[in-house]
């Protein structure tokens, strides 16, 4: 009966052992690279910012913003860009400073296009929280107005209201028509904030609107305009 010899285990000098060791070494190296990439890096974040700057290295301007939006796959007019600007505490629409970028992206732990893309759904969910949405809505006024003006011009106001309330306020279409034919050339911050409260508190049929309440004249006139149009129809 032939004797079956036990296969010897690979020795230190065995090619199989060397191959396994090299493979294990590369595996550990790849893991370290992956771990390094997954960790937030200030240096990488700043380098990413400078991909979108030109002459002024401390400011990302409209051209850079367009490329940035293209890279992350979001239209500039998408409301998620307003949420991102709020997160960055940006002061001016169409611009991000290096300080704003670094502070906001550090908070989001994003230092690359891919990482921000993975956070876009999170940014959208912030709109679902009433308190957070209110903060974003209020931020939008100062963000979008001309900084040398205390009020927002009516065209900008209509565009911003369409962005933040257009899909959620049933009366928005009527309010937009009212603004189109009104004498108003600007919207001040008190009016802006009260429009949101009106959209949340007043019924679509206006049945619970209190004419003696502390609403701005703008909204009193809107209610009167609505009633006249409903009577006419």
């Amino acid at each position: 009966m032939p004797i079956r010899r036990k296969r010897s285990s690979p020795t230190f000098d065995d090619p199989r052992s060397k191959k396994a060791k090299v493979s294990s070494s590369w595996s550990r190296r790849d893991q370290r690279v992956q771990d390094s990439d997954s960790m937030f890096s200030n240096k990488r974040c700043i380098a990413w910012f400078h991909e979108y700057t030109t002459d002024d290295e401390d400011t990302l301007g409209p051209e850079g913003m367009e490329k940035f939006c293209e890279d992350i796959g979001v239209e500039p007019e998408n409301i998620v860009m307003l949420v991102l600007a709020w997160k960055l505490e940006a002061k001016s629409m169409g611009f991000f400073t290096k300080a704003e970028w670094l502070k906001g992206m550090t908070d989001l732990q994003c230092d690359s296009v891919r990482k921000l893309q993975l956070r876009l759904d999170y940014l959208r969910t912030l709109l679902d929280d009433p308190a957070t949405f209110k903060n974003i809505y209020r931020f939008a006024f100062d963000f979008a107005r001309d900084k040398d003006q205390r009020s927002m011009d009516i065209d900008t106001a209509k565009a911003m209201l369409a962005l933040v309330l257009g899909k959620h306020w049933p009366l928005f279409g009527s309010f937009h028509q009212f603004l189109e034919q009104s004498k108003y050339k600007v919207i001040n911050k008190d009016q802006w904030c009260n429009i949101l409260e009106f959209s949340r508190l007043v019924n679509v049929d206006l049945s619970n609107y209190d004419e003696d309440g502390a609403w701005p004249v703008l909204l009193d006139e809107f209610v009167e305009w609505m009633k006249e149009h409903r009577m006419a129809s």
Side-chain angles (χ1 to χ4, degrees):
M1 180 177 181
I3 298 175
R4 184 176 297 171
R5 293 185 178 179
K6 186 177 181 181
R7 181 179 296 176
S8 59
S9 300
T11 64
F12 181 81
D13 294 327
D14 191 300
R16 289 172 295 173
S17 176
K18 289 183 178 179
K19 184 177 181 180
K21 185 176 181 181
V22 170
S23 177
S24 176
S25 175
W26 276 102
S27 178
R28 288 196 298 272
R29 181 180 180 277
D30 289 345
Q31 186 61 49
R32 286 196 298 270
V33 170
Q34 290 175 12
D35 290 344
S36 175
D37 287 345
S38 66
M39 293 174 61
F40 178 82
S41 163
N42 267 31
K43 184 176 180 181
R44 193 159 53 226
C45 187
I46 293 172
W48 180 33
F49 173 81
H50 285 309
E51 290 181 19
Y52 305 109
T53 60
T54 50
D55 297 333
D56 185 353
E57 293 189 353
D58 288 332
T59 303
L60 187 163
E63 288 186 11
M65 192 70 72
E66 186 176 344
K67 183 178 186 302
F68 170 64
C69 289
E70 183 180 331
D71 285 353
I72 64 174
V74 174
E75 292 294 325
E77 299 81 12
N78 193 302
I79 194 170
V80 76
M81 289 301 297
L82 176 64
V83 183
L84 178 62
W86 172 73
K87 267 292 185 183
L88 270 58
E89 298 181 16
K91 297 295 186 293
S92 301
M93 187 161 58
F95 298 87
F96 291 149
T97 67
K98 185 193 290 186
E100 291 167 351
W101 176 279
L102 192 56
K103 182 181 182 301
M105 293 301 184
T106 300
D107 182 50
L108 290 168
Q109 290 290 283
C110 293
D111 55 18
S112 67
V113 167
R114 174 164 172 72
K115 286 182 182 178
L116 182 56
Q117 287 175 325
L118 294 173
R119 296 289 275 165
L120 292 177
D121 283 343
Y122 158 72
L123 292 175
R124 293 186 180 99
T125 64
L126 296 176
L127 296 165
D128 298 330
D129 177 67
T132 303
F133 178 82
K134 185 175 183 177
N135 289 334
I136 295 169
Y137 178 90
R138 287 174 172 247
F139 162 82
F141 180 85
D142 290 319
F143 179 62
R145 70 178 172 83
D146 289 335
K147 297 305 173 281
D148 59 347
Q149 302 292 326
R150 293 175 62 86
S151 299
M152 185 189 296
D153 74 83
I154 196 67
D155 289 332
T156 302
K158 287 185 292 187
M160 291 303 293
L161 286 169
L163 181 67
V164 293
L165 293 180
K167 294 182 179 179
H168 306 289
W169 183 25
L171 289 177
F172 173 75
S174 297
F175 187 69
H176 184 85
Q177 289 178 22
F178 163 74
L179 291 178
E180 287 275 280
Q181 58 81 55
S182 75
K183 64 182 184 295
Y184 291 94
K185 303 300 181 186
V186 297
I187 296 288
N188 63 40
K189 193 161 189 175
D190 180 64
Q191 292 167 332
W192 177 266
C193 293
N194 273 281
I195 290 168
L196 175 62
E197 296 308 309
F198 184 99
S199 74
R200 288 179 165 181
L201 299 175
V202 177
N203 297 336
V204 175
D205 62 5
L206 308 175
S207 59
N208 65 336
Y209 184 77
D210 182 3
E211 294 180 358
D212 298 322
W215 297 108
V217 173
L218 167 73
L219 291 171
D220 288 333
E221 291 177 352
F222 169 60
V223 171
E224 185 179 343
W225 180 85
M226 281 289 293
K227 289 179 177 178
E228 289 175 357
H229 274 66
R230 286 177 176 177
M231 288 176 62
S233 59

